[in-house]
Amino acid sequence: MISICIPTYNRAQALSQTLTLLRNELQKASLEDQFEICISDNASTDETPSVIREFNSHYFNLKTVRQSTNTGFQANTRAVA
């Protein structure tokens, strides 16, 4: 399995666009079962949690972590791996 890891903070629109693109491309190539999408949300204050909830129904291999406080870029990046 190949992991696509996405650390994020207050990037709801970009995350939605990225997940839509990934979903469409993986479905076209019939590769959904060969990839997992891992997202670490660094305590976003925008609509990022809603975007993640929405896409949970589209991905069988979506794994998410939500930080309780902003841990900074490096810690959030480590958490997504």
Side-chain angles (χ1 to χ4, degrees):
M1 179 153 312
I2 298 171
S3 299
I4 299 172
C5 300
I6 305 170
T8 191
Y9 175 71
N10 285 348
R11 306 284 292 174
Q13 184 176 1
L15 181 63
S16 179
Q17 291 170 346
T18 299
L19 292 174
T20 298
L21 175 68
L22 286 170
R23 181 189 64 215
N24 293 343
E25 293 303 314
L26 292 173
Q27 285 176 345
K28 276 197 302 192
S30 297
L31 295 172
E32 305 100 317
D33 61 338
Q34 296 179 34
F35 285 80
E36 68 178 356
I37 311 295
C38 304
I39 301 170
S40 182
D41 177 12
N42 203 10
S44 293
T45 58
D46 67 353
E47 296 299 316
T48 296
S50 297
V51 169
I52 292 170
R53 280 192 300 276
E54 174 189 339
F55 278 88
N56 267 326
S57 64
H58 297 290
Y59 286 111
F60 295 108
N61 294 323
L62 180 64
K63 298 178 181 179
T64 61
V65 173
R66 177 162 167 82
Q67 308 301 331
S68 58
T69 61
N70 188 317
T71 60
F73 176 76
Q74 289 181 344
N76 192 48
T77 301
R78 283 192 301 272
V80 79

Coordinates of all heavy atoms in Angstrom, one line a residue:
M1 N 0.8 -1.2 0.0 CA 0.0 0.0 0.0 C 0.9 1.2 0.0 O 1.9 1.3 0.7 CB -0.9 0.0 1.2 CG -1.8 1.2 1.3 SD -3.4 1.1 2.1 CE -4.1 -0.3 1.5
I2 N 0.5 2.2 -0.7 CA 1.2 3.5 -0.8 C 0.4 4.5 0.0 O -0.8 4.6 -0.1 CB 1.3 4.0 -2.3 CG1 2.2 2.9 -3.1 CG2 2.0 5.3 -2.4 CD1 2.2 3.2 -4.5
S3 N 1.1 5.3 0.8 CA 0.5 6.3 1.6 C 0.7 7.7 1.0 O 1.9 8.0 0.7 CB 1.1 6.3 3.0 OG 0.9 5.1 3.7
I4 N -0.3 8.5 0.9 CA -0.2 9.9 0.6 C -0.5 10.6 1.9 O -1.6 10.6 2.4 CB -1.3 10.2 -0.5 CG1 -1.0 9.4 -1.8 CG2 -1.2 11.7 -0.8 CD1 -2.0 9.6 -2.9
C5 N 0.5 11.4 2.4 CA 0.4 12.0 3.7 C 0.2 13.5 3.5 O 1.0 14.2 2.7 CB 1.6 11.7 4.5 SG 1.8 10.0 4.8
I6 N -0.8 14.1 4.1 CA -1.1 15.5 4.0 C -1.2 16.1 5.4 O -2.2 16.0 6.1 CB -2.5 15.7 3.2 CG1 -2.5 14.9 1.9 CG2 -2.8 17.2 3.1 CD1 -3.8 14.9 1.2
P7 N -0.2 16.9 5.8 CA -0.3 17.7 7.0 C -1.1 19.0 6.6 O -0.8 19.5 5.5 CB 1.1 18.0 7.4 CG 1.9 17.9 6.1 CD 1.2 16.9 5.2
T8 N -2.0 19.5 7.4 CA -2.7 20.6 7.0 C -3.1 21.5 8.2 O -3.1 21.1 9.4 CB -4.0 20.2 6.3 OG1 -4.6 21.4 5.7 CG2 -5.0 19.5 7.2
Y9 N -3.3 22.8 7.9 CA -3.7 23.8 8.9 C -4.4 24.9 8.2 O -3.8 25.6 7.4 CB -2.5 24.3 9.7 CG -3.0 25.4 10.7 CD1 -3.7 25.1 11.8 CD2 -2.7 26.8 10.5 CE1 -4.1 26.1 12.7 CE2 -3.1 27.7 11.3 CZ -3.8 27.4 12.4 OH -4.2 28.4 13.3
N10 N -5.7 25.0 8.5 CA -6.5 26.1 7.9 C -6.4 26.2 6.4 O -6.2 27.3 5.8 CB -6.2 27.5 8.5 CG -6.8 27.6 9.9 OD1 -7.6 26.8 10.3 ND2 -6.3 28.6 10.6
R11 N -6.5 25.0 5.7 CA -6.5 25.0 4.3 C -7.6 24.2 3.7 O -7.5 23.3 2.9 CB -5.1 24.3 3.8 CG -3.9 24.9 4.4 CD -3.5 26.2 3.7 NE -3.1 25.8 2.4 CZ -2.8 26.7 1.4 NH1 -2.9 28.0 1.7 NH2 -2.5 26.4 0.2
A12 N -8.8 24.5 4.2 CA -10.0 23.7 3.9 C -10.2 23.6 2.4 O -10.5 22.5 1.8 CB -11.2 24.2 4.6
Q13 N -10.2 24.7 1.7 CA -10.5 24.7 0.3 C -9.4 23.9 -0.5 O -9.7 23.1 -1.4 CB -10.6 26.2 -0.3 CG -10.9 26.2 -1.7 CD -11.1 27.6 -2.3 OE1 -10.9 28.6 -1.5 NE2 -11.4 27.8 -3.5
A14 N -8.1 24.1 -0.2 CA -7.1 23.4 -0.9 C -7.2 21.9 -0.6 O -6.9 21.1 -1.4 CB -5.7 24.0 -0.4
L15 N -7.5 21.6 0.7 CA -7.7 20.2 1.0 C -8.8 19.5 0.3 O -8.7 18.4 -0.3 CB -7.9 20.0 2.5 CG -8.0 18.6 3.1 CD1 -6.7 17.8 2.8 CD2 -8.4 18.6 4.5
S16 N -9.9 20.2 0.2 CA -11.1 19.7 -0.6 C -10.7 19.5 -2.0 O -11.0 18.4 -2.6 CB -12.2 20.7 -0.5 OG -13.3 20.2 -1.2
Q17 N -10.0 20.4 -2.6 CA -9.6 20.3 -4.0 C -8.6 19.1 -4.2 O -8.7 18.4 -5.2 CB -8.9 21.6 -4.5 CG -9.9 22.7 -4.7 CD -9.2 24.1 -4.9 OE1 -8.0 24.2 -4.7 NE2 -10.0 25.1 -5.3
T18 N -7.7 19.0 -3.3 CA -6.7 17.9 -3.4 C -7.4 16.6 -3.2 O -7.1 15.6 -4.0 CB -5.6 18.1 -2.3 OG1 -5.0 19.3 -2.5 CG2 -4.6 16.9 -2.3
L19 N -8.3 16.4 -2.3 CA -8.9 15.1 -2.0 C -9.9 14.8 -3.2 O -9.9 13.6 -3.6 CB -9.7 15.2 -0.7 CG -8.8 15.2 0.5 CD1 -9.7 15.3 1.8 CD2 -7.9 14.0 0.6
T20 N -10.5 15.8 -3.8 CA -11.4 15.5 -4.9 C -10.5 15.0 -6.1 O -10.9 14.0 -6.8 CB -12.1 16.8 -5.4 OG1 -13.0 17.2 -4.3 CG2 -12.9 16.6 -6.6
L21 N -9.4 15.7 -6.4 CA -8.5 15.3 -7.5 C -8.0 13.9 -7.2 O -8.0 13.0 -8.1 CB -7.3 16.3 -7.6 CG -6.3 15.9 -8.6 CD1 -6.8 16.0 -10.0 CD2 -5.1 16.8 -8.5
L22 N -7.5 13.6 -6.0 CA -7.0 12.3 -5.7 C -8.0 11.2 -5.9 O -7.8 10.1 -6.5 CB -6.4 12.2 -4.3 CG -5.1 12.9 -4.0 CD1 -4.8 13.0 -2.5 CD2 -4.0 12.2 -4.8
R23 N -9.2 11.5 -5.3 CA -10.3 10.5 -5.5 C -10.6 10.2 -6.9 O -10.7 9.0 -7.3 CB -11.6 11.0 -4.8 CG -12.7 10.0 -4.8 CD -14.0 10.6 -4.3 NE -14.4 11.7 -5.2 CZ -15.0 12.8 -4.8 NH1 -15.3 12.9 -3.5 NH2 -15.4 13.7 -5.6
N24 N -10.8 11.2 -7.7 CA -11.1 11.0 -9.1 C -10.0 10.3 -9.9 O -10.3 9.4 -10.7 CB -11.3 12.4 -9.8 CG -12.6 13.1 -9.3 OD1 -13.4 12.4 -8.6 ND2 -12.7 14.4 -9.5
E25 N -8.8 10.6 -9.7 CA -7.7 10.0 -10.4 C -7.5 8.5 -9.9 O -7.3 7.6 -10.8 CB -6.4 10.7 -10.2 CG -6.4 12.1 -10.9 CD -6.6 12.0 -12.4 OE1 -6.1 11.2 -13.1 OE2 -7.5 12.8 -12.8
L26 N -7.6 8.3 -8.6 CA -7.5 6.9 -8.2 C -8.6 6.0 -8.7 O -8.4 4.8 -9.0 CB -7.4 6.8 -6.6 CG -6.1 7.4 -6.0 CD1 -6.2 7.5 -4.5 CD2 -4.9 6.6 -6.5
Q27 N -9.8 6.6 -8.7 CA -11.0 5.8 -9.2 C -10.8 5.5 -10.7 O -11.1 4.4 -11.2 CB -12.3 6.6 -9.0 CG -12.7 6.5 -7.5 CD -14.0 7.3 -7.2 OE1 -14.4 8.2 -8.0 NE2 -14.5 7.1 -6.1
K28 N -10.4 6.5 -11.5 CA -10.2 6.3 -12.9 C -9.2 5.2 -13.2 O -9.4 4.4 -14.1 CB -9.7 7.6 -13.6 CG -10.8 8.6 -14.0 CD -10.4 9.6 -15.0 CE -9.2 10.4 -14.5 NZ -9.0 11.6 -15.3
A29 N -8.2 5.1 -12.4 CA -7.1 4.1 -12.6 C -7.4 2.8 -11.8 O -6.6 1.9 -11.9 CB -5.8 4.7 -12.2
S30 N -8.5 2.8 -11.1 CA -8.9 1.6 -10.3 C -7.8 1.2 -9.3 O -7.4 0.1 -9.2 CB -9.2 0.4 -11.2 OG -10.3 0.7 -12.0
L31 N -7.3 2.3 -8.6 CA -6.2 2.1 -7.7 C -6.6 2.4 -6.2 O -5.7 2.5 -5.4 CB -5.0 3.0 -8.1 CG -4.3 2.6 -9.4 CD1 -3.3 3.7 -9.8 CD2 -3.7 1.2 -9.3
E32 N -7.9 2.6 -6.0 CA -8.3 3.0 -4.6 C -7.8 2.1 -3.5 O -7.5 2.6 -2.5 CB -9.8 3.1 -4.5 CG -10.5 4.0 -5.5 CD -11.2 3.2 -6.6 OE1 -10.5 2.3 -7.1 OE2 -12.3 3.5 -7.0
D33 N -7.8 0.8 -3.8 CA -7.4 -0.1 -2.8 C -5.9 -0.2 -2.6 O -5.4 -1.0 -1.7 CB -8.0 -1.5 -3.1 CG -7.5 -2.1 -4.4 OD1 -7.1 -1.3 -5.3 OD2 -7.6 -3.3 -4.5
Q34 N -5.1 0.5 -3.4 CA -3.7 0.4 -3.3 C -3.1 1.6 -2.6 O -1.9 1.7 -2.4 CB -3.1 0.3 -4.7 CG -3.4 -1.1 -5.3 CD -2.9 -1.2 -6.7 OE1 -1.8 -0.8 -7.0 NE2 -3.6 -1.9 -7.6
F35 N -3.9 2.6 -2.3 CA -3.4 3.8 -1.7 C -4.2 4.1 -0.4 O -5.4 3.7 -0.2 CB -3.7 5.0 -2.6 CG -2.7 5.1 -3.7 CD1 -2.9 4.3 -4.9 CD2 -1.6 6.0 -3.7 CE1 -2.0 4.4 -5.9 CE2 -0.7 6.1 -4.7 CZ -0.9 5.3 -5.8
E36 N -3.5 4.7 0.6 CA -4.2 5.3 1.7 C -3.9 6.8 1.8 O -2.8 7.2 1.4 CB -3.8 4.6 3.0 CG -2.4 4.8 3.5 CD -2.0 4.2 4.8 OE1 -2.9 3.6 5.4 OE2 -0.8 4.3 5.2
I37 N -4.9 7.5 2.2 CA -4.7 9.0 2.4 C -4.6 9.2 3.9 O -5.5 8.9 4.7 CB -5.9 9.8 1.8 CG1 -6.2 9.3 0.4 CG2 -5.6 11.3 1.9 CD1 -5.2 9.5 -0.6
C38 N -3.5 9.9 4.4 CA -3.3 10.2 5.8 C -3.3 11.7 5.9 O -2.5 12.3 5.3 CB -2.0 9.6 6.3 SG -1.9 7.8 6.0
I39 N -4.2 12.2 6.8 CA -4.3 13.6 7.0 C -4.0 13.9 8.5 O -4.6 13.3 9.4 CB -5.7 14.2 6.6 CG1 -6.0 13.9 5.2 CG2 -5.8 15.7 6.9 CD1 -7.4 14.1 4.8
S40 N -3.2 14.9 8.8 CA -3.0 15.4 10.1 C -3.4 16.9 10.1 O -2.8 17.7 9.5 CB -1.5 15.3 10.6 OG -1.4 15.7 11.9
D41 N -4.5 17.1 10.8 CA -5.1 18.5 11.0 C -4.5 19.1 12.2 O -4.7 18.6 13.3 CB -6.6 18.4 11.0 CG -7.2 19.8 11.2 OD1 -6.5 20.8 11.1 OD2 -8.4 19.8 11.5
N42 N -3.8 20.2 12.0 CA -3.1 20.8 13.1 C -3.9 21.8 13.9 O -3.6 23.0 14.0 CB -1.8 21.5 12.6 CG -0.8 21.7 13.7 OD1 -0.9 21.2 14.8 ND2 0.3 22.5 13.3
A43 N -5.1 21.4 14.4 CA -6.1 22.2 15.1 C -6.6 23.3 14.3 O -6.7 24.5 14.8 CB -5.5 22.7 16.4
S44 N -7.0 23.1 13.1 CA -7.5 24.1 12.2 C -8.7 24.8 12.8 O -9.5 24.1 13.5 CB -7.9 23.5 10.8 OG -6.8 23.1 10.1
T45 N -8.9 26.1 12.5 CA -10.0 26.8 13.0 C -11.0 27.2 11.9 O -12.0 27.8 12.1 CB -9.6 28.1 13.7 OG1 -8.8 28.9 12.7 CG2 -8.7 27.8 14.9
D46 N -10.7 26.7 10.7 CA -11.6 26.9 9.5 C -12.5 25.7 9.3 O -12.7 24.9 10.2 CB -10.8 27.3 8.3 CG -9.9 26.2 7.8 OD1 -9.8 25.1 8.4 OD2 -9.3 26.3 6.7
E47 N -12.9 25.4 8.1 CA -13.8 24.3 7.8 C -13.1 23.0 7.5 O -13.7 22.0 7.1 CB -14.7 24.7 6.6 CG -15.6 25.8 6.8 CD -16.6 25.6 8.0 OE1 -17.1 24.4 8.0 OE2 -16.7 26.4 8.8
T48 N -11.8 22.9 7.8 CA -11.0 21.7 7.6 C -11.6 20.5 8.2 O -11.8 19.4 7.5 CB -9.5 21.9 8.0 OG1 -9.0 22.9 7.2 CG2 -8.7 20.6 7.9
P49 N -12.1 20.5 9.5 CA -12.7 19.3 10.0 C -13.9 18.8 9.2 O -14.2 17.6 9.1 CB -13.1 19.7 11.5 CG -12.1 20.8 11.8 CD -11.9 21.5 10.5
S50 N -14.7 19.8 8.8 CA -15.9 19.4 8.0 C -15.5 18.8 6.6 O -16.2 17.8 6.2 CB -16.8 20.7 7.7 OG -17.2 21.2 8.9
V51 N -14.5 19.3 6.0 CA -14.0 18.7 4.7 C -13.6 17.3 5.0 O -13.9 16.4 4.2 CB -12.8 19.6 4.2 CG1 -12.2 18.8 3.0 CG2 -13.3 20.9 3.7
I52 N -12.8 17.1 6.1 CA -12.4 15.7 6.4 C -13.6 14.8 6.6 O -13.6 13.7 6.1 CB -11.4 15.7 7.6 CG1 -10.1 16.4 7.2 CG2 -11.1 14.3 8.1 CD1 -9.2 16.7 8.4
R53 N -14.6 15.2 7.4 CA -15.8 14.4 7.6 C -16.5 14.1 6.3 O -16.9 12.9 6.1 CB -16.7 15.1 8.6 CG -16.3 15.0 10.0 CD -17.5 15.4 11.0 NE -17.8 16.8 10.7 CZ -17.2 17.9 11.3 NH1 -16.2 17.7 12.1 NH2 -17.7 19.1 11.1
E54 N -16.6 15.1 5.4 CA -17.2 14.8 4.1 C -16.5 13.8 3.3 O -17.1 12.9 2.8 CB -17.3 16.1 3.3 CG -17.8 16.0 1.9 CD -17.6 17.2 1.1 OE1 -17.4 18.3 1.7 OE2 -17.6 17.1 -0.1
F55 N -15.2 13.8 3.3 CA -14.4 12.9 2.5 C -14.3 11.5 3.1 O -14.0 10.5 2.5 CB -13.1 13.5 2.1 CG -13.2 14.4 0.9 CD1 -13.5 15.7 1.1 CD2 -13.1 13.9 -0.4 CE1 -13.6 16.6 0.0 CE2 -13.2 14.7 -1.5 CZ -13.5 16.1 -1.3
N56 N -14.6 11.4 4.4 CA -14.5 10.1 5.1 C -15.5 9.1 4.4 O -15.2 7.9 4.4 CB -14.9 10.2 6.6 CG -13.6 10.3 7.4 OD1 -12.6 9.8 7.1 ND2 -13.7 11.1 8.5
S57 N -16.6 9.6 3.9 CA -17.5 8.7 3.2 C -17.1 8.3 1.8 O -17.6 7.4 1.2 CB -18.9 9.4 3.1 OG -18.9 10.6 2.3
H58 N -16.1 9.0 1.2 CA -15.6 8.8 -0.1 C -14.4 7.8 -0.2 O -14.1 7.3 -1.2 CB -15.2 10.1 -0.8 CG -16.4 11.0 -1.0 ND1 -17.4 10.7 -1.9 CD2 -16.7 12.2 -0.4 CE1 -18.3 11.7 -1.8 NE2 -17.9 12.6 -0.9
Y59 N -13.7 7.8 0.9 CA -12.4 7.0 0.9 C -12.5 5.9 1.9 O -12.8 6.1 3.1 CB -11.2 7.9 1.4 CG -10.8 8.9 0.4 CD1 -11.0 10.2 0.6 CD2 -10.1 8.5 -0.8 CE1 -10.5 11.2 -0.4 CE2 -9.7 9.4 -1.7 CZ -9.9 10.7 -1.5 OH -9.4 11.6 -2.4
F60 N -12.2 4.7 1.5 CA -12.1 3.6 2.4 C -10.8 3.6 3.2 O -10.8 3.1 4.3 CB -12.2 2.2 1.6 CG -13.6 2.1 0.9 CD1 -13.7 2.2 -0.4 CD2 -14.7 1.8 1.7 CE1 -14.9 2.0 -1.1 CE2 -15.9 1.7 1.1 CZ -16.0 1.8 -0.3
N61 N -9.8 4.1 2.6 CA -8.5 4.2 3.2 C -8.1 5.6 3.6 O -7.0 6.0 3.4 CB -7.4 3.6 2.3 CG -7.7 2.1 2.0 OD1 -8.1 1.4 2.9 ND2 -7.5 1.7 0.8
L62 N -9.0 6.3 4.3 CA -8.6 7.6 4.8 C -8.4 7.5 6.3 O -9.2 7.1 7.1 CB -9.8 8.6 4.5 CG -9.6 10.0 5.0 CD1 -8.5 10.7 4.2 CD2 -10.9 10.8 4.8
K63 N -7.2 8.0 6.7 CA -6.8 8.0 8.1 C -6.6 9.4 8.5 O -5.9 10.1 7.8 CB -5.6 7.1 8.4 CG -5.8 5.7 8.0 CD -4.6 4.9 8.2 CE -4.9 3.4 7.8 NZ -3.7 2.6 8.0
T64 N -7.1 9.8 9.7 CA -7.0 11.2 10.1 C -6.5 11.3 11.5 O -6.9 10.5 12.4 CB -8.3 12.0 9.9 OG1 -9.3 11.4 10.7 CG2 -8.7 12.0 8.4
V65 N -5.8 12.4 11.8 CA -5.4 12.7 13.1 C -5.7 14.2 13.3 O -5.5 15.0 12.4 CB -3.9 12.5 13.3 CG1 -3.4 13.1 14.7 CG2 -3.5 11.1 13.2
R66 N -6.3 14.6 14.4 CA -6.6 16.0 14.7 C -5.9 16.4 15.9 O -6.1 15.8 17.0 CB -8.1 16.3 14.8 CG -8.3 17.8 15.1 CD -9.7 18.2 14.8 NE -10.1 19.5 15.4 CZ -9.8 20.6 14.9 NH1 -9.1 20.7 13.7 NH2 -10.1 21.8 15.5
Q67 N -4.9 17.3 15.8 CA -4.2 17.8 17.0 C -5.2 18.6 17.8 O -6.0 19.4 17.3 CB -3.0 18.7 16.6 CG -2.1 18.1 15.5 CD -1.5 16.8 16.0 OE1 -1.3 16.6 17.2 NE2 -1.2 15.9 15.1
S68 N -5.0 18.6 19.2 CA -5.9 19.3 20.0 C -5.5 20.8 20.1 O -6.3 21.7 20.4 CB -5.9 18.7 21.4 OG -4.6 18.6 22.0
T69 N -4.2 21.0 19.9 CA -3.6 22.4 19.8 C -2.7 22.4 18.6 O -2.2 21.4 18.1 CB -2.9 22.8 21.1 OG1 -1.8 21.9 21.2 CG2 -3.8 22.8 22.3
N70 N -2.4 23.6 18.1 CA -1.4 23.8 17.0 C 0.0 23.3 17.5 O 0.5 24.0 18.4 CB -1.4 25.2 16.5 CG -0.6 25.3 15.2 OD1 0.5 24.8 15.1 ND2 -1.1 26.1 14.3
T71 N 0.5 22.3 17.0 CA 1.8 21.7 17.4 C 3.0 22.2 16.6 O 4.1 21.9 16.8 CB 1.8 20.2 17.3 OG1 1.5 19.8 15.9 CG2 0.7 19.6 18.2
G72 N 2.7 23.1 15.6 CA 3.7 23.5 14.7 C 3.9 22.6 13.5 O 3.5 21.5 13.5
F73 N 4.6 23.1 12.5 CA 4.7 22.4 11.2 C 5.4 21.1 11.4 O 4.9 20.0 10.9 CB 5.4 23.3 10.2 CG 5.7 22.6 8.9 CD1 4.7 22.4 8.0 CD2 6.9 22.1 8.6 CE1 4.9 21.7 6.8 CE2 7.2 21.4 7.4 CZ 6.1 21.2 6.5
Q74 N 6.5 21.1 12.0 CA 7.3 19.8 12.1 C 6.6 18.7 12.9 O 6.5 17.6 12.4 CB 8.7 20.1 12.7 CG 9.6 20.9 11.9 CD 11.0 21.1 12.5 OE1 11.1 21.0 13.7 NE2 11.9 21.5 11.7
A75 N 6.0 19.0 14.0 CA 5.3 18.0 14.8 C 4.1 17.5 14.0 O 3.7 16.3 14.0 CB 4.9 18.6 16.1
N76 N 3.4 18.4 13.3 CA 2.2 18.0 12.6 C 2.6 17.1 11.4 O 1.9 16.1 11.1 CB 1.4 19.2 12.1 CG 0.1 18.8 11.5 OD1 -0.7 18.1 12.2 ND2 -0.3 19.4 10.4
T77 N 3.7 17.4 10.8 CA 4.2 16.6 9.7 C 4.6 15.2 10.2 O 4.3 14.2 9.5 CB 5.4 17.3 9.0 OG1 5.0 18.6 8.5 CG2 6.0 16.5 7.8
R78 N 5.2 15.1 11.3 CA 5.6 13.8 11.9 C 4.3 13.0 12.3 O 4.3 11.8 12.1 CB 6.5 14.0 13.1 CG 7.9 14.3 12.8 CD 8.8 14.2 14.0 NE 8.4 15.1 15.1 CZ 8.8 16.3 15.3 NH1 9.6 16.9 14.4 NH2 8.4 17.0 16.3
A79 N 3.3 13.7 12.7 CA 2.1 13.0 13.1 C 1.4 12.3 12.0 O 0.6 11.4 12.1 CB 1.1 14.0 13.8
V80 N 1.6 12.9 10.8 CA 0.9 12.3 9.6 C 1.5 11.1 9.1 O 0.9 10.3 8.4 CB 0.7 13.4 8.5 CG1 1.9 13.6 7.7 CG2 -0.5 13.0 7.6
A81 N 2.7 10.8 9.4 CA 3.5 9.7 8.9 C 3.1 8.4 9.5 O 2.6 8.3 10.6 CB 5.0 9.9 9.0

